[in-house]
């Protein structure tokens, strides 16, 4: 089975930092584009950051300059370093794996990030 397991979420004060991890199994990780999405209550799920199989990165404007996505193919893991966190970043964060050539798309279970004073 394919599994994406997120970790690293929690409660942090505004201005603080967290690093999320997503460990993948059941896929040939290096062939997949990886992404982090988030969903806040009452809002649609949005793409926060993605990193392609080739290492190219993209970010939603609201996190650009504060968040960094990276991957370690040897560990089958993708990371999201989140700095200067704002209350607006509060959401459940989901890991996504996508292989465009075969139309494959997988999701993790999500990890809660709460930014509050």
């Amino acid at each position: 089975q394919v599994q994406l397991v997120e970790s690293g979420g929690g409660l942090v004060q505004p201005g603080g930092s967290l690093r999320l991890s997503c460990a993948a199994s059941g896929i040939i990780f290096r062939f997949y584009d990886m992404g982090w999405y988030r969903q806040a209550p009452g809002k649609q799920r949005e793409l926060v950051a993605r990193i392609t199989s080739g290492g190219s990165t993209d970010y939603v404007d609201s996190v650009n300059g504060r968040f960094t996505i990276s991957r370690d193919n040897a560990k089958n893991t993708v990371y999201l370093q989140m700095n200067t966190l704002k209350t607006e970043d509060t959401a459940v964060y989901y890991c996504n794996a996508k292989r465009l050539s075969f139309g494959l798309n997988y999701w993790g279970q999500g990890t809660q990030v709460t930014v509050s004073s």
Side-chain angles (χ1 to χ4, degrees), residues 26-82:
I27 63 172
I28 305 176
F29 184 81
R30 70 183 187 275
F31 292 157
Y32 280 74
D33 296 342
M34 303 298 297
W36 287 98
Y37 291 73
R38 67 186 180 189
Q39 188 164 27
K43 292 196 169 186
Q44 287 187 294
R45 185 164 56 188
E46 68 171 348
L47 176 64
V48 178
R50 69 172 181 175
I51 183 165
T52 69
S53 60
S56 298
T57 59
D58 293 284
Y59 302 90
V60 68
D61 286 346
S62 60
V63 310
N64 194 214
R66 299 188 296 120
F67 291 10
T68 303
I69 188 170
S70 61
R71 67 191 295 159
D72 187 339
N73 288 342
K75 295 181 182 291
N76 289 354
T77 301
V78 63
Y79 305 94
L80 186 67
Q81 179 66 49
M82 304 185 294

Side-chain angles (χ1 to χ4, degrees), residues 5-10 17-23 36-38 48 67-70 77-82 85 89 91-95 110-114:
V5 180
E6 301 100 330
S7 61
S17 297
L18 286 173
R19 189 176 78 153
L20 305 183
S21 298
C22 171
W36 287 98
Y37 291 73
R38 67 186 180 189
V48 178
F67 291 10
T68 303
I69 188 170
S70 61
T77 301
V78 63
Y79 305 94
L80 186 67
Q81 179 66 49
M82 304 185 294
L85 282 160
D89 297 318
V92 177
Y93 284 71
Y94 297 91
C95 180
T111 185
Q112 177 71 48
V113 172
T114 302

Side-chain angles (χ1 to χ4, degrees), residues 3 8 12 14 21 29 42 51 65 77 90 101 108 117:
Q3 276 199 96
V12 65
S21 298
F29 184 81
I51 183 165
T77 301
T90 296
S101 297
S117 58

